[in-house]
Amino acid sequence: MLKTSLAIAATLSLATAPFAAQAQEADPTVAAEAEADTRVFTPVNFDVTEDRENILLLDLSNGERVSIRLKPDWAPNHVERVKTLTRQGFYDGIIFHRVIDGFMAQTGDPTGTGTGGSELPDIAEEFHRMPHVRGSVSMARSASPDSANSQFFLVFYPRFNLDENYTNFGRVIANMAAVDAIERGEPPANPTRILQASIAADNKPVPAMPAPSVPDAEISVSDLNAPIGN
């Protein structure tokens, strides 16, 4: 089973305001959680020269660099997890193992199967109202809301059914065309790979692209019988 189960959660609306107030009084946990959520949802800054501590750079095997604005004001724990793993080199060399045309590209599993993660513990959900639009970067999870670990996905087209069901923690702010070019498949036959993930503030250079493999020339019988030169 793939790590991510992109299921649509049903929501129940309360009929009246008094009933809502009554339910809140009956369940103090709900009231405490509502009061505790003091996040301020600031707009996405698309300037790649500003707040470089919160820009994730993905150098891909298609020769492109993608810039992602991380949003700690939306999901502080998820942003911190991605930054920690990035600085550990965890994402370097990992493929996009699940790429669905018109939907999203998923990565972050070192096994490349969709079932793996990091050695760090799973983190609790940080769902919020910011929509999953084109370029959104969100954390993958299993059936449990609190099962996010290392895998994340980049959204090709708006998917509002994911809102408040998956933790949206960032947005592509440069080179969305490179995201569009990620090889499709589950898994792709020739998957796109993250050569290097880095935080912009660390000023890591773009890694050298690996040289394309060149097949060995065929050796004929005449070659084998030819005299060895000096």
Side-chain angles (χ1 to χ4, degrees):
M1 186 68 183
L2 293 169
K3 175 72 174 178
T4 305
S5 172
L6 299 178
I8 303 174
T11 56
L12 298 177
S13 59
L14 298 177
T16 63
F19 180 81
Q22 182 179 4
Q24 196 173 64
E25 289 178 3
D27 189 352
T29 304
V30 174
E33 288 179 350
E35 184 179 351
D37 190 357
T38 58
R39 288 174 289 182
V40 177
F41 300 97
T42 59
V44 176
N45 182 353
F46 284 81
D47 190 335
V48 295
T49 68
E50 295 181 359
D51 189 19
R52 289 170 58 79
E53 177 61 26
N54 285 306
I55 295 179
L56 172 66
L57 302 175
L58 301 181
D59 292 303
L60 306 182
S61 57
N62 59 18
E64 300 289 341
R65 168 172 274 192
V66 175
S67 300
I68 296 168
R69 173 68 65 188
L70 302 175
K71 296 294 293 177
D73 54 322
W74 296 358
N77 295 328
H78 285 67
V79 168
E80 185 59 35
R81 168 59 57 86
V82 169
K83 289 168 71 172
T84 295
L85 292 176
T86 295
R87 284 180 161 137
Q88 290 177 354
F90 176 85
Y91 293 115
D92 296 354
I94 288 180
I95 67 168
F96 284 87
H97 65 272
R98 185 172 185 240
V99 186
I100 302 174
D101 197 30
F103 184 11
M104 59 88 205
Q106 185 173 330
T107 186
D109 174 14
T111 72
T113 64
T115 61
S118 76
E119 294 182 353
L120 298 176
D122 292 345
I123 48 180
E125 57 87 2
E126 292 179 299
F127 302 156
H128 54 77
R129 62 181 180 270
M130 293 303 292
H132 284 74
V133 296
R134 174 172 162 80
S136 290
V137 185
S138 193
M139 211 69 171
R141 64 173 177 84
S142 61
S144 168
D146 301 328
S147 59
N149 187 284
S150 65
Q151 294 189 43
F152 61 90
F153 58 93
L154 288 66
V155 179
F156 294 131
Y157 293 102
R159 288 282 177 152
F160 302 131
N161 61 303
L162 303 179
D163 299 349
E164 299 188 68
N165 287 295
Y166 291 84
T167 300
N168 180 353
F169 67 90
R171 183 86 58 80
V172 175
I173 59 172
N175 207 359
M176 186 65 191
V179 177
D180 291 333
I182 293 172
E183 291 290 329
R184 270 57 169 172
E186 301 182 66
N190 184 28
T192 303
R193 188 176 300 273
I194 299 174
L195 297 182
Q196 174 182 273
S198 64
I199 302 302
D202 296 344
N203 295 312
K204 284 192 173 184
V206 177
M209 287 289 294
S213 57
V214 178
D216 294 333
E218 293 186 7
I219 300 175
S220 66
V221 174
S222 297
D223 292 327
L224 293 174
N225 293 331
I228 299 175
N230 295 329

